[in-house]
Amino acid sequence: MNSKKSGFRFSNPELVHLEYETNQSFCEESEIQLRINLSTDVKPYEGKSKAEVILTITLGGKTEKDPFYLEASEQATFDWSGSQFSDEALESLLSKNAPSLLLSYLRPIVASSTNWSRYGSYNIPFIDFTKAVKESD
């Protein structure tokens, strides 16, 4: 099978933010129900076929109901060949494909960071980016 490279490309993704805190007052007898929040920030470059995309994941919180709080952000610059994509296709690539790619880079960071806690490694489940993901302001 011959594969064709996409005209939608990305720079080397980088971790731009990581915060982790174990909740010392968490009652370990409680069932762990970890909240997951995702936000995507798309910043187009003016007059260029390029945009910076940042995906931020927040796990848990800072209440006694949460075993830990973790927030991490992964960023990459995406570019494409001028008129190769319609506006609708670009919107989909930047709001669905780009965050999905960035999440794949965050998964091992989250698993590794949480592995050293008393609660064990947390593996981020699959996320359906075809459903709306909250955009940052």
Side-chain angles (χ1 to χ4, degrees):
M1 177 170 126
N2 289 335
S3 56
K4 182 182 175 189
K5 287 186 178 181
S6 172
F8 188 68
R9 298 168 300 274
F10 64 96
S11 66
N12 195 19
E14 65 176 302
L15 180 67
V16 293
H17 174 77
L18 179 61
E19 181 181 350
Y20 177 83
E21 184 178 330
T22 300
N23 183 355
Q24 299 302 321
S25 61
F26 175 68
C27 177
E28 291 190 40
E29 295 171 9
S30 303
E31 182 181 337
I32 296 176
Q33 303 230 348
L34 208 54
R35 291 172 289 151
I36 302 173
N37 293 309
L38 293 166
S39 66
T40 303
D41 189 12
V42 178
K43 299 177 183 176
Y45 285 54
E46 192 69 35
K48 295 185 179 183
S49 298
K50 189 182 268 195
E52 178 181 281
V53 180
I54 301 171
L55 176 69
T56 300
I57 186 167
T58 304
L59 299 170
K62 296 184 178 183
T63 72
E64 64 275 354
K65 295 178 182 179
D66 300 296
F68 60 82
Y69 171 81
L70 184 142
E71 184 176 271
S73 299
E74 192 79 14
Q75 178 266 323
T77 301
F78 293 80
D79 66 85
W80 54 92
S81 304
S83 61
Q84 183 177 1
F85 300 101
S86 68
D87 288 345
E88 186 177 293
L90 275 175
E91 195 280 324
S92 180
L93 287 166
L94 291 169
S95 67
K96 296 174 181 63
N97 296 53
S100 181
L101 173 96
L102 294 173
L103 185 61
S104 70
Y105 283 85
L106 281 171
R107 270 195 178 92
I109 293 166
V110 169
S112 177
S113 297
T114 57
N115 186 51
W116 298 103
S117 76
R118 66 180 120 178
Y119 309 110
S121 182
Y122 180 78
N123 294 301
I124 300 170
F126 285 114
I127 304 294
D128 183 356
F129 283 97
T130 62
K131 308 289 186 234
V133 173
K134 183 180 140 198
E135 297 223 3
S136 298
D137 293 326

